[in-house]
């Protein structure tokens, strides 16, 4: 048994107030509630409207709430990792800004970009610091203002994404609960199919890149769809197999919320009953690095100590992965 097994001991989230409905979107581009619901499964998504506020605003609010809920002093936190594809700035890291806003002064903090798999990669990264004894209280945040890189003239991408943040506290547990295993993978072959064309060092911002609308998400949906279904299912099945978990042993699947059809296909391949699958894509859309914590946060009341949970993701890169964890506490201690 691992001595300091990294365990999630609390979770919080932050959602902007503004709700962008399919009805409003259908007045912006040539689309309909019917198309979006059938092809993606999203009814509405949250948008951070206030100017001058970025992903750190959402992330810091989630972190502050997490500290309050657990009675943790900001000075006790020794590590903060922020997964995001929409950092406040190219530099410094959004994690540094979140730590500053939340009065976290004794932690080293950094960003991690693994597309929609960012939160899973960040959990696996923080896990290493906890298990080596280097960190005693780590915070992992997924924070995204996706609306800052969505082209609201492109009907193929604008219905998909939303803004949100989710944060977890990770601590060394008694060895029985926490992260048991994970499979993380990536393949740079994904670049042409899902990326932002300009604004990086290959193509810095210019009048031309702005005129060509190259500062937004570019996605070849069908290609990404096929990869997402097969890779998310493959790694989820692999992590189940090597930990000798049957579909009956799995209490919950937490899938990345990119498309309802992808979630259903992955659950089918894992032979999981749909009641065991966390789904909130209808309300929040794809919030990239925030989808996993947003699901767990909504389901926290129903989680029980010892529940076998599989997290599964797929995103830009391509990146993908699955993690098996044994949940460490009963229900929502904040209630
Ligand atoms: O989170 C990171 C990973 N991302 C993903 O996992 C996303 C994976 N991809 C997908 O979820 C889907 O491919 C999309 C939701 C992006 C698109 O759904 P699709 O079923 O693959 O549609 P499509 O791109 O094949 O387009 C089908 C048709 C096209 O029209 P034609 O060429 O058949 O006339 C599109 O122009 O649907 C049209 N279309 C729309 N129609 C109404 C595309 N977007 C819209 C829209 N409203 N919003």
């Amino acid at each position: 048994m691992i001595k300091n097994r990294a365990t999630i001991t609390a979770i919080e989230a932050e959602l902007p107030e503004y709700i962008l409905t399919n009805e409003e979107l259908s007045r912006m581009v040539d689309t309909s509630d019917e198309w979006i619901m059938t092809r993606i499964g999203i009814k509405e998504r949250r948008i951070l409207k206030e100017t001058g506020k970025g992903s750190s605003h959402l992330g810091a609010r989630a972190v502050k709430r997490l500290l309050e809920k657990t009675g943790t002093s900001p000075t006790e936190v020794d590590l903060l990792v922020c997964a995001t594809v929409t950092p406040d700035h190219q530099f410094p890291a959004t994690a540094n800004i979140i730590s500053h806003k939340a009065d976290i002064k004794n932690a080293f903090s950094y960003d991690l970009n693994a597309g929609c798999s960012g939160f899973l990669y960040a959990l696996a990264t923080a896990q290493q610091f906890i298990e080596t004894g280097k960190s005693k209280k780590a915070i992992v945040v997924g924070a995204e203002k996706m609306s800052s890189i969505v082209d609201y003239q492109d009907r193929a991408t604008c219905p998909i994404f939303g803004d949100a943040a989710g944060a977890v506290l990770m601590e060394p547990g008694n060895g029985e609960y926490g992260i048991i295993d994970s499979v993380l993978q990536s393949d740079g072959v994904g670049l042409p199919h899902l990326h932002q064309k300009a604004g990086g060092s290959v193509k810095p911002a210019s009048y031309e890149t702005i005129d060509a609308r190259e500062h937004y998400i570019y996605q070849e949906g069908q290609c990404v769809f096929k990869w997402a279904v097969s890779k998310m299912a493959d790694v989820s099945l692999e992590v189940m197999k090597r930990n000798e978990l049957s579909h009956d042993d799995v209490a919950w699947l937490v899938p990345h919320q990119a498309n309802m059809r992808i979630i259903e296909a992955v659950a089918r391949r894992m032979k999981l009953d749909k009641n065991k699958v966390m789904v909130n894509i209808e309300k929040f859309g794809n919030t990239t690095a925030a989808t996993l914590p947003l699901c767990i946060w909504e389901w926290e009341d129903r989680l029980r100590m010892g529940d076998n949970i599989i997290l599964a993701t797929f995103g830009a890169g391509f990146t993908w992965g699955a993690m098996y964890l044994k949940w460490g506490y009963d229900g929502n201690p904040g209630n």
Side-chain angles (χ1 to χ4, degrees):
M1 197 182 282
I2 292 175
K3 204 168 119 241
N4 295 324
R5 197 185 287 286
T7 311
I8 293 175
T9 51
I11 185 152
E12 264 302 338
E14 172 69 17
L15 288 157
E17 275 174 23
Y18 190 83
I19 298 175
L20 176 59
T21 61
N22 288 349
E23 196 271 321
E24 184 176 350
L25 270 178
S26 65
R27 284 184 265 123
M28 295 155 71
V29 289
D30 181 14
T31 190
S32 64
D33 176 60
E34 203 256 330
W35 192 94
I36 301 170
M37 281 306 287
T38 344
R39 305 307 296 171
I40 325 180
I42 301 172
K43 197 88 196 154
E44 56 191 42
R45 63 292 287 147
R46 300 298 181 95
I47 304 293
L48 180 59
K49 283 273 193 183
E50 293 102 305
T51 40
K53 287 188 174 156
S55 299
S56 78
H57 170 75
L58 300 171
R61 286 176 77 115
V63 168
K64 282 189 203 163
R65 208 171 283 141
L66 188 70
L67 296 174
E68 265 168 41
K69 178 179 180 175
T70 53
T72 306
S73 157
T75 55
E76 292 175 74
V77 178
D78 49 30
L79 166 66
L80 187 142
V81 189
C82 176
T84 186
V85 301
T86 50
D88 281 15
H89 304 275
Q90 285 270 22
F91 67 90
T94 300
N96 305 154
I97 303 168
I98 292 176
S99 289
H100 181 66
K101 285 181 175 169
D103 261 340
I104 294 173
K105 296 185 190 308
N106 297 330
F108 71 109
S109 54
Y110 59 91
D111 285 0
L112 189 155
N113 178 345
C116 295
S117 306
F119 190 78
L120 199 72
Y121 274 45
L123 279 184
T125 309
Q127 174 197 1
Q128 311 308 315
F129 289 103
I130 299 265
E131 289 184 357
T132 54
K134 185 91 182 154
S135 167
K136 298 277 182 265
K137 282 188 193 287
I139 291 181
V140 175
V141 196
E144 302 283 12
K145 184 180 170 185
M146 293 306 292
S147 59
S148 64
I149 53 166
V150 166
D151 183 353
Y152 288 98
Q153 293 183 17
D154 175 15
R155 70 174 183 170
T157 51
C158 74
I160 300 175
F161 297 95
D163 303 339
V168 297
L169 183 62
M170 277 175 91
E171 297 174 87
N174 67 1
E176 202 175 329
Y177 306 107
I179 299 174
I180 312 287
D181 194 10
S182 58
V183 184
L184 302 175
Q185 294 182 341
S186 58
D187 189 337
V189 75
L191 168 68
H193 311 293
L194 182 51
H195 62 277
Q196 183 177 320
K197 292 193 182 301
S201 55
V202 160
K203 213 182 210 192
S206 65
Y207 291 113
E208 289 75 23
T209 62
I210 290 169
D211 287 345
R213 308 187 74 77
E214 289 182 339
H215 292 267
Y216 298 117
I217 298 163
Y218 171 82
Q219 175 170 252
E220 291 164 6
Q222 283 189 8
C223 167
V224 180
F225 187 98
K226 285 181 199 140
W227 271 77
V229 172
S230 79
K231 295 300 182 187
M232 268 169 74
D234 286 353
V235 283
S236 303
L237 289 168
E238 187 181 338
V239 91
M240 281 170 71
K241 191 170 168 211
R242 72 186 195 194
N243 291 282
E244 296 176 354
L245 293 173
S246 75
H247 54 267
D248 285 336
D249 298 323
V250 175
W252 297 102
L253 169 68
V254 192
H256 171 51
Q257 311 282 304
N259 186 312
M260 192 59 209
R261 289 181 293 140
I262 297 177
I263 296 170
E264 285 167 355
V266 171
R268 253 194 321 272
R269 285 185 57 184
M270 292 171 71
K271 297 193 171 54
L272 277 190
D273 190 283
K274 69 174 195 299
N275 297 327
K276 290 184 170 188
V277 184
M278 295 187 191
V279 181
N280 58 16
I281 188 172
E282 187 168 333
K283 290 188 292 185
F284 307 130
N286 181 349
T287 55
T288 305
T291 61
L292 298 186
L294 213 50
C295 276
I296 303 173
W297 168 71
E298 266 212 293
W299 263 258
E300 189 186 22
D301 281 344
R302 284 181 260 172
L303 301 181
R304 291 290 162 266
M305 195 184 255
D307 278 354
N308 291 319
I309 301 182
I310 306 282
L311 315 180
T313 61
F314 184 87
F318 295 131
T319 55
W320 65 99
M323 179 177 276
Y324 163 37
L325 54 87
K326 257 192 192 302
W327 195 246
Y329 58 94
D330 288 328
N332 182 349
N335 282 347

